[in-house]
Amino acid sequence: GTIIALALGDQAAISPADWTTYRITGVAHLMSISGLHITLLAWLALRLVDWAWRQTARLRRPWTLYLPAPTVAAWAALVAATAYAMLAGWGVPAQRTLLMLAVVLVLRQRGLRAYWLDVMALALIAVLLWDPWAVRQAGFWLSFVAVGMLLVAGERTQSATPVLASDTAVLPRGTAAPRPGLLHRSWQKLRAAGHAQWVATIALAPLTLLFFQQIALLSPLSNALAIPLVTLLVAPLAVAGLLLPAPLDAWAWQLAALVQRLFHGKNQRCI
């Protein structure tokens, strides 16, 4: 049922028992097509099209002479994200994600950059112009509040980085700063992911209590495992099953179902 929800946006196949498990552990937001999945698909499409377009440089008349690879890849990513969002039922998270991607795309194509608050404001205005009654949906508030708080947390983390790296100022001129080791970089990424998860959990706690009358205490721990597992493995495999020919489509869905069953079993043991 979860594979169908991630591939087609149809959540009816997920059993009530599974929904209970997902709600208690705080990972229900991942068991449908969300903005995170749409962004990942757009990124994958961008990388694939960019690579394929650059390979035409080996031809007698390279396609890159007519259209640069970054432009083609960006528009292909937006088309892929739009198709996936339409397949998902065009909910508020999908609208917000697409509008933010479109704003960033247009600005980059014009050689401009915008502050994240401006991008959020444009996406908010566009969503309300498209559907003024979206303010009555829980997904509207959860989506924008979650993204806004994560961007605020990310901005504060980036602003603190030069202070932490100020010790490089004592290095002799022309001497490069030593590159952090793999263990240090992994620890920094783990800290950043944990910080983002706690920010999202605390920021959404009042809204979750208001809309659903419950708060998932296991959410930080469950999402730490669920977000990379579902976003990087289950969701791409579910979408790949729609695009691949037989029998590769069945293999992709079976592998996605296997990973999902393993994750579901861990959730049940946590409960």
Coordinates of all heavy atoms in Angstrom, one line a residue, residues 61-151:
R61 N 27.7 18.4 -34.6 CA 27.0 19.6 -34.2 C 26.5 19.5 -32.8 O 25.3 19.1 -32.6 CB 25.9 20.0 -35.2 CG 26.4 20.4 -36.6 CD 25.2 20.8 -37.5 NE 25.7 21.2 -38.8 CZ 24.9 21.7 -39.8 NH1 23.5 21.7 -39.5 NH2 25.3 22.0 -40.9
P62 N 27.3 19.8 -31.8 CA 26.8 19.6 -30.4 C 25.5 20.4 -30.1 O 25.4 21.6 -30.5 CB 28.0 20.1 -29.6 CG 29.2 20.0 -30.6 CD 28.6 20.3 -31.9
W63 N 24.7 19.8 -29.4 CA 23.4 20.5 -29.0 C 23.7 21.6 -28.0 O 22.9 22.5 -27.9 CB 22.5 19.5 -28.4 CG 22.0 18.4 -29.3 CD1 22.3 18.3 -30.7 CD2 21.2 17.3 -29.0 NE1 21.7 17.2 -31.2 CE2 21.0 16.5 -30.2 CE3 20.6 16.8 -27.8 CZ2 20.3 15.4 -30.3 CZ3 19.9 15.6 -27.9 CH2 19.7 14.9 -29.1
T64 N 24.8 21.5 -27.3 CA 25.2 22.5 -26.4 C 25.5 23.9 -27.0 O 25.5 24.9 -26.4 CB 26.4 22.1 -25.5 OG1 27.5 21.7 -26.4 CG2 26.1 21.0 -24.6
L65 N 25.7 23.9 -28.4 CA 25.9 25.1 -29.1 C 24.6 25.9 -29.2 O 24.6 27.1 -29.4 CB 26.5 24.9 -30.4 CG 27.9 24.3 -30.5 CD1 28.4 24.0 -31.9 CD2 28.9 25.2 -29.7
Y66 N 23.5 25.2 -29.2 CA 22.2 25.9 -29.4 C 21.5 26.2 -28.0 O 20.9 27.3 -27.9 CB 21.3 24.9 -30.2 CG 21.8 24.6 -31.5 CD1 22.5 23.3 -31.7 CD2 21.8 25.4 -32.6 CE1 23.0 23.0 -32.9 CE2 22.3 25.0 -33.9 CZ 22.9 23.8 -34.0 OH 23.5 23.5 -35.2
L67 N 21.6 25.3 -27.1 CA 21.1 25.5 -25.7 C 22.1 25.0 -24.7 O 22.5 23.9 -24.8 CB 19.7 24.8 -25.6 CG 18.5 25.4 -26.3 CD1 17.3 24.4 -26.2 CD2 18.2 26.8 -25.8
P68 N 22.4 25.8 -23.7 CA 23.3 25.3 -22.7 C 22.7 24.2 -21.9 O 21.5 24.2 -21.6 CB 23.6 26.6 -21.9 CG 22.5 27.5 -22.1 CD 22.0 27.2 -23.5
A69 N 23.6 23.3 -21.4 CA 23.1 22.2 -20.6 C 22.4 22.6 -19.3 O 21.4 22.0 -19.0 CB 24.3 21.2 -20.3
P70 N 22.9 23.5 -18.6 CA 22.2 23.9 -17.3 C 20.8 24.4 -17.6 O 19.9 24.1 -16.8 CB 23.1 25.0 -16.7 CG 24.4 24.8 -17.3 CD 24.2 24.3 -18.7
T71 N 20.5 25.1 -18.7 CA 19.2 25.6 -19.0 C 18.2 24.4 -19.3 O 17.1 24.3 -18.8 CB 19.2 26.6 -20.1 OG1 20.0 27.7 -19.8 CG2 17.8 27.1 -20.5
V72 N 18.7 23.5 -20.2 CA 17.9 22.4 -20.5 C 17.6 21.5 -19.3 O 16.5 21.0 -19.1 CB 18.5 21.6 -21.6 CG1 17.7 20.3 -22.0 CG2 18.7 22.4 -22.9
A73 N 18.6 21.3 -18.5 CA 18.4 20.4 -17.3 C 17.5 21.0 -16.3 O 16.7 20.3 -15.7 CB 19.8 20.2 -16.7
A74 N 17.5 22.4 -16.2 CA 16.6 23.0 -15.2 C 15.2 22.9 -15.6 O 14.3 22.6 -14.8 CB 17.0 24.5 -15.0
W75 N 14.9 23.1 -16.9 CA 13.5 23.0 -17.4 C 13.0 21.6 -17.4 O 11.9 21.3 -17.1 CB 13.4 23.6 -18.8 CG 13.5 25.1 -18.8 CD1 14.5 25.9 -19.2 CD2 12.4 26.0 -18.3 NE1 14.2 27.3 -19.0 CE2 12.9 27.3 -18.4 CE3 11.2 25.9 -17.7 CZ2 12.2 28.5 -18.1 CZ3 10.4 27.0 -17.4 CH2 10.9 28.2 -17.5
A76 N 13.9 20.7 -17.7 CA 13.5 19.2 -17.6 C 13.2 18.8 -16.2 O 12.3 18.1 -15.9 CB 14.7 18.4 -18.1
A77 N 14.0 19.4 -15.2 CA 13.7 19.1 -13.8 C 12.3 19.6 -13.4 O 11.6 19.0 -12.7 CB 14.8 19.7 -12.9
L78 N 12.0 20.8 -13.9 CA 10.7 21.4 -13.5 C 9.6 20.6 -14.2 O 8.5 20.4 -13.5 CB 10.7 22.9 -14.0 CG 9.4 23.7 -13.6 CD1 9.3 23.7 -12.1 CD2 9.5 25.1 -14.2
V79 N 9.7 20.2 -15.4 CA 8.7 19.3 -16.1 C 8.5 18.0 -15.3 O 7.4 17.6 -15.1 CB 9.1 19.1 -17.5 CG1 8.2 18.1 -18.2 CG2 9.0 20.4 -18.3
A80 N 9.6 17.4 -14.9 CA 9.5 16.1 -14.2 C 8.8 16.3 -12.8 O 7.9 15.6 -12.4 CB 10.9 15.5 -14.0
A81 N 9.1 17.4 -12.1 CA 8.5 17.7 -10.9 C 7.0 18.0 -11.0 O 6.2 17.6 -10.2 CB 9.2 18.9 -10.2
T82 N 6.7 18.7 -12.1 CA 5.3 19.0 -12.4 C 4.5 17.8 -12.6 O 3.3 17.6 -12.1 CB 5.2 20.0 -13.6 OG1 5.9 21.2 -13.3 CG2 3.7 20.4 -13.8
A83 N 5.0 16.9 -13.5 CA 4.3 15.6 -13.8 C 4.1 14.8 -12.5 O 3.0 14.2 -12.3 CB 5.1 14.8 -14.8
Y84 N 5.1 14.8 -11.7 CA 5.0 14.0 -10.4 C 4.0 14.6 -9.5 O 3.2 13.9 -8.8 CB 6.4 13.9 -9.8 CG 6.5 12.8 -8.7 CD1 5.8 11.7 -8.7 CD2 7.4 13.0 -7.6 CE1 5.9 10.7 -7.8 CE2 7.5 12.1 -6.6 CZ 6.8 10.9 -6.7 OH 6.9 10.0 -5.7
A85 N 4.0 15.9 -9.4 CA 3.0 16.6 -8.5 C 1.6 16.4 -9.0 O 0.7 16.2 -8.2 CB 3.4 18.1 -8.5
M86 N 1.4 16.5 -10.3 CA 0.0 16.2 -10.9 C -0.4 14.8 -10.6 O -1.6 14.5 -10.3 CB 0.0 16.5 -12.4 CG 0.3 17.9 -12.8 SD -0.9 19.1 -12.2 CE -2.3 18.6 -13.3
L87 N 0.6 13.9 -10.7 CA 0.3 12.5 -10.4 C -0.1 12.3 -8.9 O -0.9 11.4 -8.5 CB 1.5 11.6 -10.7 CG 1.3 10.1 -10.7 CD1 0.4 9.7 -11.8 CD2 2.6 9.4 -10.8
A88 N 0.4 13.2 -8.0 CA 0.2 13.1 -6.6 C -1.1 13.7 -6.2 O -1.5 13.7 -5.0 CB 1.3 13.7 -5.8
G89 N -1.8 14.3 -7.1 CA -3.1 14.9 -6.8 C -3.1 16.4 -6.5 O -4.1 17.0 -6.2
W90 N -1.9 17.1 -6.8 CA -1.8 18.5 -6.7 C -2.2 19.1 -5.4 O -3.0 20.0 -5.3 CB -2.6 19.1 -7.8 CG -2.3 20.6 -8.1 CD1 -3.1 21.6 -8.0 CD2 -1.0 21.1 -8.7 NE1 -2.4 22.8 -8.4 CE2 -1.2 22.5 -8.8 CE3 0.2 20.5 -9.0 CZ2 -0.1 23.3 -9.3 CZ3 1.2 21.3 -9.5 CH2 1.0 22.7 -9.6
G91 N -1.6 18.5 -4.3 CA -1.9 19.0 -3.0 C -1.1 20.3 -2.6 O -0.2 20.7 -3.4
V92 N -1.3 20.8 -1.4 CA -0.6 22.1 -1.1 C 0.9 21.9 -1.0 O 1.7 22.7 -1.5 CB -1.2 22.6 0.3 CG1 -0.3 23.7 0.8 CG2 -2.6 23.0 0.1
P93 N 1.4 20.8 -0.4 CA 2.9 20.6 -0.4 C 3.5 20.5 -1.8 O 4.5 21.1 -2.1 CB 3.1 19.3 0.3 CG 1.9 19.1 1.2 CD 0.8 19.7 0.4
A94 N 2.8 19.9 -2.7 CA 3.2 19.8 -4.1 C 3.2 21.2 -4.8 O 4.1 21.6 -5.5 CB 2.4 18.8 -4.9
Q95 N 2.1 21.9 -4.5 CA 2.0 23.3 -5.1 C 3.2 24.2 -4.6 O 3.8 24.9 -5.3 CB 0.7 23.9 -4.7 CG -0.5 23.2 -5.3 CD -1.8 23.8 -4.9 OE1 -1.9 25.0 -4.6 NE2 -2.9 23.0 -4.8
R96 N 3.4 24.1 -3.2 CA 4.4 25.0 -2.7 C 5.8 24.6 -3.2 O 6.6 25.5 -3.6 CB 4.4 24.8 -1.1 CG 5.4 25.6 -0.4 CD 6.6 24.8 0.1 NE 6.2 23.7 0.8 CZ 7.0 22.6 0.9 NH1 8.2 22.6 0.4 NH2 6.5 21.5 1.6
T97 N 6.1 23.3 -3.3 CA 7.4 22.9 -3.9 C 7.6 23.3 -5.3 O 8.6 23.8 -5.6 CB 7.5 21.3 -3.8 OG1 7.3 20.9 -2.4 CG2 8.8 20.9 -4.2
L98 N 6.6 23.1 -6.1 CA 6.7 23.5 -7.5 C 6.8 25.0 -7.7 O 7.6 25.4 -8.5 CB 5.4 23.0 -8.3 CG 5.5 21.6 -8.9 CD1 4.2 21.2 -9.6 CD2 6.7 21.4 -9.8
L99 N 6.1 25.7 -7.0 CA 6.2 27.2 -7.1 C 7.5 27.7 -6.6 O 8.1 28.6 -7.3 CB 5.1 27.9 -6.3 CG 3.6 27.6 -6.9 CD1 2.6 28.1 -5.9 CD2 3.5 28.3 -8.2
M100 N 8.1 27.1 -5.6 CA 9.4 27.5 -5.1 C 10.5 27.1 -6.1 O 11.4 27.9 -6.4 CB 9.7 26.9 -3.8 CG 8.8 27.5 -2.6 SD 9.3 26.8 -1.0 CE 10.8 27.6 -0.7
L101 N 10.3 25.9 -6.7 CA 11.3 25.5 -7.7 C 11.2 26.4 -9.0 O 12.2 26.8 -9.6 CB 11.0 24.1 -8.2 CG 11.4 23.0 -7.2 CD1 10.9 21.6 -7.7 CD2 12.9 23.0 -6.9
A102 N 10.0 26.8 -9.4 CA 9.8 27.7 -10.5 C 10.4 29.1 -10.3 O 11.0 29.6 -11.2 CB 8.3 27.8 -10.9
V103 N 10.2 29.6 -9.1 CA 10.7 30.9 -8.8 C 12.2 30.9 -8.8 O 12.9 31.8 -9.4 CB 10.2 31.4 -7.4 CG1 11.0 32.6 -6.9 CG2 8.8 31.7 -7.4
V104 N 12.9 29.9 -8.2 CA 14.3 29.8 -8.2 C 14.8 29.6 -9.7 O 15.8 30.2 -10.1 CB 14.8 28.6 -7.3 CG1 16.3 28.3 -7.5 CG2 14.4 28.9 -5.9
L105 N 14.1 28.8 -10.5 CA 14.5 28.5 -11.9 C 14.5 29.8 -12.7 O 15.4 30.1 -13.4 CB 13.6 27.5 -12.5 CG 13.7 27.3 -14.0 CD1 15.1 26.7 -14.3 CD2 12.6 26.4 -14.5
V106 N 13.4 30.6 -12.6 CA 13.3 31.8 -13.4 C 14.3 32.8 -12.9 O 15.0 33.5 -13.8 CB 11.8 32.4 -13.2 CG1 11.8 33.8 -13.8 CG2 10.8 31.5 -13.8
L107 N 14.6 32.9 -11.6 CA 15.6 33.9 -11.2 C 17.0 33.5 -11.7 O 17.8 34.3 -12.1 CB 15.5 33.9 -9.7 CG 14.3 34.6 -9.0 CD1 14.3 34.5 -7.5 CD2 14.2 36.1 -9.4
R108 N 17.3 32.2 -11.6 CA 18.6 31.7 -12.1 C 18.8 31.9 -13.6 O 19.9 32.3 -14.0 CB 18.8 30.3 -11.7 CG 19.1 30.1 -10.2 CD 19.5 28.7 -9.9 NE 19.9 28.5 -8.5 CZ 20.4 27.4 -7.9 NH1 20.6 26.4 -8.7 NH2 20.7 27.4 -6.7
Q109 N 17.7 31.7 -14.3 CA 17.8 31.9 -15.8 C 18.0 33.3 -16.1 O 18.6 33.7 -17.1 CB 16.5 31.4 -16.4 CG 16.3 29.9 -16.4 CD 17.5 29.1 -16.9 OE1 17.9 29.4 -18.1 NE2 18.0 28.1 -16.2
R110 N 17.6 34.2 -15.3 CA 17.8 35.7 -15.5 C 19.1 36.2 -14.8 O 19.3 37.4 -14.8 CB 16.6 36.5 -15.0 CG 15.3 36.2 -15.8 CD 14.2 37.0 -15.3 NE 14.4 38.4 -15.4 CZ 14.2 39.2 -16.5 NH1 13.7 38.6 -17.5 NH2 14.4 40.5 -16.5
G111 N 19.8 35.3 -14.2 CA 21.1 35.6 -13.5 C 20.8 36.4 -12.2 O 21.7 37.1 -11.8
L112 N 19.7 36.1 -11.5 CA 19.4 36.8 -10.3 C 19.3 35.8 -9.2 O 19.2 34.6 -9.4 CB 18.0 37.5 -10.4 CG 17.9 38.6 -11.6 CD1 16.5 39.1 -11.6 CD2 18.9 39.7 -11.3
R113 N 19.4 36.3 -8.0 CA 19.3 35.5 -6.7 C 18.3 36.2 -5.8 O 18.2 37.5 -5.8 CB 20.6 35.3 -6.0 CG 21.6 34.6 -6.8 CD 22.9 34.4 -6.1 NE 22.7 33.6 -4.9 CZ 23.6 33.3 -4.0 NH1 24.8 33.8 -4.1 NH2 23.3 32.6 -2.9
A114 N 17.5 35.4 -5.1 CA 16.5 36.0 -4.2 C 16.7 35.4 -2.8 O 17.1 34.3 -2.6 CB 15.1 35.7 -4.7
Y115 N 16.4 36.2 -1.8 CA 16.4 35.8 -0.4 C 15.3 34.7 -0.2 O 14.3 34.8 -0.8 CB 16.3 37.0 0.5 CG 16.5 36.7 2.0 CD1 17.6 36.0 2.4 CD2 15.6 37.1 2.9 CE1 17.8 35.7 3.7 CE2 15.8 36.9 4.3 CZ 16.9 36.2 4.7 OH 17.2 35.9 6.0
W116 N 15.6 33.8 0.7 CA 14.6 32.7 0.8 C 13.2 33.2 1.3 O 12.2 32.6 0.9 CB 15.1 31.6 1.8 CG 15.3 32.0 3.2 CD1 16.4 32.5 3.8 CD2 14.3 32.0 4.2 NE1 16.2 32.8 5.1 CE2 14.9 32.5 5.4 CE3 12.9 31.6 4.2 CZ2 14.2 32.6 6.6 CZ3 12.2 31.7 5.4 CH2 12.8 32.2 6.6
L117 N 13.2 34.3 2.0 CA 11.9 34.8 2.5 C 11.1 35.3 1.3 O 9.9 35.2 1.2 CB 12.1 36.0 3.5 CG 12.4 35.6 4.9 CD1 12.7 36.8 5.7 CD2 11.2 34.9 5.5
D118 N 11.8 35.9 0.3 CA 11.1 36.4 -0.9 C 10.5 35.2 -1.7 O 9.4 35.2 -2.2 CB 12.0 37.2 -1.8 CG 12.5 38.4 -1.1 OD1 11.8 39.0 -0.3 OD2 13.7 38.8 -1.4
V119 N 11.3 34.1 -1.8 CA 10.8 32.9 -2.5 C 9.6 32.3 -1.8 O 8.6 31.9 -2.4 CB 12.0 31.9 -2.6 CG1 11.5 30.6 -3.3 CG2 13.1 32.4 -3.4
M120 N 9.7 32.2 -0.5 CA 8.6 31.7 0.3 C 7.3 32.6 0.1 O 6.2 32.1 0.0 CB 8.9 31.7 1.8 CG 9.9 30.5 2.2 SD 9.1 28.9 2.3 CE 8.0 29.2 3.8
A121 N 7.5 33.9 0.1 CA 6.4 34.8 0.0 C 5.7 34.7 -1.4 O 4.5 34.6 -1.5 CB 6.8 36.3 0.2
L122 N 6.5 34.6 -2.4 CA 6.0 34.4 -3.8 C 5.2 33.1 -3.9 O 4.1 33.0 -4.5 CB 7.1 34.4 -4.8 CG 7.8 35.8 -5.0 CD1 9.0 35.7 -6.0 CD2 6.7 36.8 -5.6
A123 N 5.8 32.0 -3.3 CA 5.1 30.7 -3.3 C 3.8 30.8 -2.5 O 2.8 30.2 -3.0 CB 6.0 29.6 -2.7
L124 N 3.8 31.5 -1.4 CA 2.6 31.6 -0.6 C 1.5 32.3 -1.3 O 0.3 31.9 -1.3 CB 2.9 32.3 0.7 CG 1.8 32.6 1.7 CD1 1.2 31.3 2.2 CD2 2.3 33.4 2.9
I125 N 1.9 33.4 -2.0 CA 0.9 34.2 -2.7 C 0.3 33.4 -3.9 O -0.9 33.4 -4.1 CB 1.6 35.5 -3.3 CG1 1.9 36.4 -2.1 CG2 0.6 36.2 -4.3 CD1 2.7 37.7 -2.5
A126 N 1.2 32.7 -4.6 CA 0.7 31.9 -5.7 C -0.2 30.8 -5.3 O -1.2 30.5 -5.9 CB 1.9 31.3 -6.5
V127 N 0.1 30.1 -4.1 CA -0.8 29.0 -3.6 C -2.2 29.6 -3.3 O -3.2 29.0 -3.6 CB -0.1 28.3 -2.4 CG1 -1.1 27.4 -1.7 CG2 1.1 27.5 -2.9
L128 N -2.2 30.8 -2.6 CA -3.5 31.4 -2.2 C -4.2 31.9 -3.4 O -5.5 31.9 -3.4 CB -3.2 32.5 -1.2 CG -2.7 32.0 0.2 CD1 -2.4 33.2 1.1 CD2 -3.6 31.0 0.8
L129 N -3.6 32.4 -4.4 CA -4.3 32.8 -5.6 C -4.9 31.6 -6.4 O -6.0 31.7 -6.9 CB -3.3 33.5 -6.6 CG -2.9 34.9 -6.1 CD1 -1.8 35.5 -7.1 CD2 -4.1 35.9 -6.1
W130 N -4.2 30.5 -6.3 CA -4.7 29.3 -7.0 C -5.8 28.7 -6.2 O -6.8 28.3 -6.8 CB -3.5 28.2 -7.1 CG -4.0 26.9 -7.7 CD1 -4.4 25.8 -7.1 CD2 -4.0 26.6 -9.1 NE1 -4.7 24.8 -8.0 CE2 -4.4 25.3 -9.2 CE3 -3.6 27.3 -10.3 CZ2 -4.6 24.7 -10.5 CZ3 -3.7 26.7 -11.5 CH2 -4.2 25.4 -11.6
D131 N -5.7 28.6 -4.9 CA -6.7 28.1 -4.0 C -6.8 28.8 -2.7 O -6.1 28.5 -1.7 CB -6.4 26.6 -3.7 CG -7.5 25.9 -2.9 OD1 -8.6 26.5 -2.7 OD2 -7.3 24.8 -2.4
P132 N -7.7 29.9 -2.6 CA -7.8 30.7 -1.4 C -8.2 29.9 -0.2 O -7.9 30.2 1.0 CB -8.8 31.7 -1.7 CG -8.8 31.8 -3.2 CD -8.5 30.4 -3.7
W133 N -8.9 28.7 -0.4 CA -9.4 27.9 0.7 C -8.3 27.0 1.2 O -8.6 26.2 2.2 CB -10.6 27.1 0.3 CG -11.8 28.0 0.0 CD1 -12.3 28.3 -1.2 CD2 -12.6 28.7 0.9 NE1 -13.4 29.1 -1.1 CE2 -13.6 29.4 0.2 CE3 -12.6 28.8 2.3 CZ2 -14.6 30.2 0.8 CZ3 -13.6 29.6 2.9 CH2 -14.5 30.3 2.2
A134 N -7.1 27.1 0.7 CA -6.0 26.2 1.2 C -5.7 26.5 2.7 O -5.1 25.6 3.4 CB -4.8 26.4 0.3
V135 N -6.0 27.7 3.1 CA -5.7 28.1 4.5 C -6.5 27.2 5.5 O -6.2 27.2 6.7 CB -6.0 29.6 4.8 CG1 -5.0 30.4 4.0 CG2 -7.4 29.9 4.5
R136 N -7.5 26.5 5.1 CA -8.3 25.7 5.9 C -7.8 24.3 6.0 O -8.3 23.4 6.7 CB -9.8 25.6 5.4 CG -10.5 27.0 5.3 CD -11.9 26.9 4.9 NE -12.7 26.1 6.0 CZ -14.0 25.8 5.8 NH1 -14.6 26.2 4.8 NH2 -14.6 25.1 6.8
Q137 N -6.7 24.0 5.3 CA -6.1 22.7 5.3 C -4.9 22.6 6.3 O -4.1 23.6 6.3 CB -5.6 22.3 3.9 CG -6.8 22.3 2.9 CD -6.2 22.0 1.5 OE1 -5.1 21.4 1.3 NE2 -7.0 22.3 0.5
A138 N -4.8 21.5 7.0 CA -3.7 21.4 7.9 C -2.4 21.3 7.1 O -1.3 21.8 7.6 CB -3.8 20.1 8.7
G139 N -2.4 20.7 5.9 CA -1.2 20.6 5.2 C -0.6 22.0 4.8 O 0.6 22.1 4.6
F140 N -1.4 23.0 4.6 CA -1.0 24.3 4.2 C -0.1 24.9 5.3 O 1.0 25.3 5.1 CB -2.2 25.2 4.0 CG -1.8 26.7 3.8 CD1 -1.5 27.1 2.5 CD2 -1.8 27.6 4.9 CE1 -1.2 28.5 2.4 CE2 -1.5 28.9 4.7 CZ -1.2 29.3 3.4
W141 N -0.5 24.8 6.6 CA 0.2 25.4 7.7 C 1.4 24.5 8.0 O 2.5 25.0 8.3 CB -0.7 25.5 8.9 CG -1.8 26.4 8.7 CD1 -3.1 26.1 8.4 CD2 -1.8 27.8 8.7 NE1 -3.9 27.2 8.2 CE2 -3.1 28.3 8.4 CE3 -0.8 28.8 9.0 CZ2 -3.4 29.7 8.4 CZ3 -1.1 30.1 9.0 CH2 -2.4 30.5 8.7
L142 N 1.3 23.2 8.0 CA 2.4 22.3 8.3 C 3.5 22.5 7.3 O 4.7 22.5 7.6 CB 1.9 20.9 8.4 CG 0.9 20.5 9.5 CD1 0.4 19.1 9.3 CD2 1.6 20.7 10.9
S143 N 3.1 22.6 6.0 CA 4.1 22.7 4.9 C 4.9 23.9 5.0 O 6.1 23.9 5.0 CB 3.4 22.6 3.6 OG 4.3 22.7 2.5
F144 N 4.2 25.1 5.1 CA 5.0 26.3 5.1 C 5.7 26.6 6.4 O 6.8 27.1 6.4 CB 4.0 27.5 4.8 CG 3.7 27.7 3.3 CD1 2.6 27.2 2.8 CD2 4.6 28.4 2.5 CE1 2.3 27.3 1.4 CE2 4.3 28.6 1.2 CZ 3.2 28.0 0.6
V145 N 5.1 26.2 7.5 CA 5.8 26.4 8.8 C 7.1 25.5 8.8 O 8.2 26.0 9.3 CB 4.9 26.1 10.0 CG1 5.7 26.0 11.3 CG2 3.8 27.2 10.0
A146 N 7.0 24.3 8.4 CA 8.1 23.4 8.4 C 9.3 23.9 7.5 O 10.4 24.0 8.0 CB 7.7 22.0 8.0
V147 N 8.9 24.3 6.3 CA 10.0 24.8 5.4 C 10.6 26.1 5.9 O 11.8 26.3 5.9 CB 9.4 25.0 4.0 CG1 10.4 25.6 3.1 CG2 9.0 23.6 3.4
G148 N 9.7 27.0 6.4 CA 10.2 28.2 6.9 C 11.2 28.0 8.1 O 12.3 28.6 8.2
M149 N 10.8 27.2 9.1 CA 11.7 27.0 10.2 C 13.0 26.3 9.9 O 14.0 26.6 10.4 CB 10.9 26.2 11.3 CG 9.7 26.9 11.9 SD 10.2 28.5 12.6 CE 11.4 28.0 13.9
L150 N 12.9 25.3 8.9 CA 14.1 24.7 8.5 C 15.1 25.7 7.8 O 16.3 25.6 8.0 CB 13.8 23.5 7.5 CG 13.2 22.3 8.2 CD1 12.7 21.3 7.1 CD2 14.1 21.7 9.2
L151 N 14.5 26.6 7.0 CA 15.3 27.6 6.3 C 15.9 28.6 7.4 O 17.1 29.0 7.2 CB 14.5 28.3 5.3 CG 14.1 27.5 4.1 CD1 13.2 28.3 3.2 CD2 15.3 27.1 3.3

